[in-house]
Every structure is written in structure tokens, then in C-alpha cells.
Amino acid sequence: MVKLVEIDEADYDSDSQYTTDSESSLSVHENVDSDFEDDYMDESLLERIAALKDIVPIEQRHAVSRLASQVAYWGDFGMRLMGKLSWVVTTSALLVVLPLAYETDKDKMMA
């Protein structure tokens, strides 16, 4: 828990590293912004995703996990089905159409 303490101006040391709002300048804000950008750029994608664990509630994480699992399952099912259908179509074409084409070509040569 954070405890806030009010400091009187009389107790304020002017040689301090901290400045008041009136003492701050644009260069101080630019320095803070560049420090933030440096920290932001040093963060990897994995660290950013891991940080989402603290932000996203557990119910939403489970819902996203279930959705991703279902998408993976149906994607796998669809790919297997397409592979089997293409095998059936290809072998059927080879067994039916190829001999038929051979026979029609043979008939054209005889005529």
C-alpha cells in the first residue's frame, strides 16, 4: 500500500534532484520521453505477451484459449478432410479418366 505524505515548501530542499511543476522545463520532459521509448524498445514480444497475463482476467484467458483450441481443431479437421478428398478425386480420375482417354485416342487412330 502506498502512503502519501505532504511536504511543506519550507522543508523543501532546492538542491534536490526533483523539481516542481514551475521549475520543470521542456528538456526534462524530452528526457523522460526518450527514457520511456528506450524501455519500450528494449522490451521483447515474449515479455509483452507475458505481461498481458497480469492485465487480462482469467475468464477471458480461458475463453481465448478455448477459441484457439477450437480453431486449431477445425483447421486440422478441414486440412485432413481436404487431403482425403483430393486423394479420392485424384485416384478416381486416374482410374476412370485415363483409360477412357486412352480408348478414345485409340478409336480416333483407327478411324
Side-chain angles (χ1 to χ4, degrees), residues 20-93:
T20 63
D21 290 338
S22 61
E23 295 172 346
S24 65
S25 67
L26 184 59
S27 64
V28 172
H29 292 295
E30 288 175 353
N31 190 19
V32 170
D33 288 340
S34 67
D35 288 344
F36 175 73
E37 288 175 3
D38 290 342
D39 292 342
Y40 176 74
M41 297 306 274
D42 290 339
E43 196 174 35
S44 70
L45 181 63
L46 185 61
E47 289 172 340
R48 296 178 96 196
I49 291 173
L52 288 175
K53 183 178 180 186
D54 299 331
I55 297 171
V56 179
I58 193 155
E59 295 86 16
Q60 267 189 316
R61 282 187 280 163
H62 286 303
V64 169
S65 175
R66 281 192 301 270
L67 179 65
S69 295
Q70 287 178 351
V71 167
Y73 170 77
W74 286 108
D76 181 57
F77 176 77
M79 292 301 285
R80 287 180 192 267
L81 182 65
M82 289 302 292
K84 290 177 182 179
L85 286 175
S86 64
W87 172 257
V88 168
V89 168
T90 304
T91 54
S92 298

Side-chain angles (χ1 to χ4, degrees), residues 91-104:
T91 54
S92 298
L94 287 174
L95 292 175
V96 174
V97 176
L98 194 61
L100 180 64
Y102 179 72
E103 286 298 320
T104 50

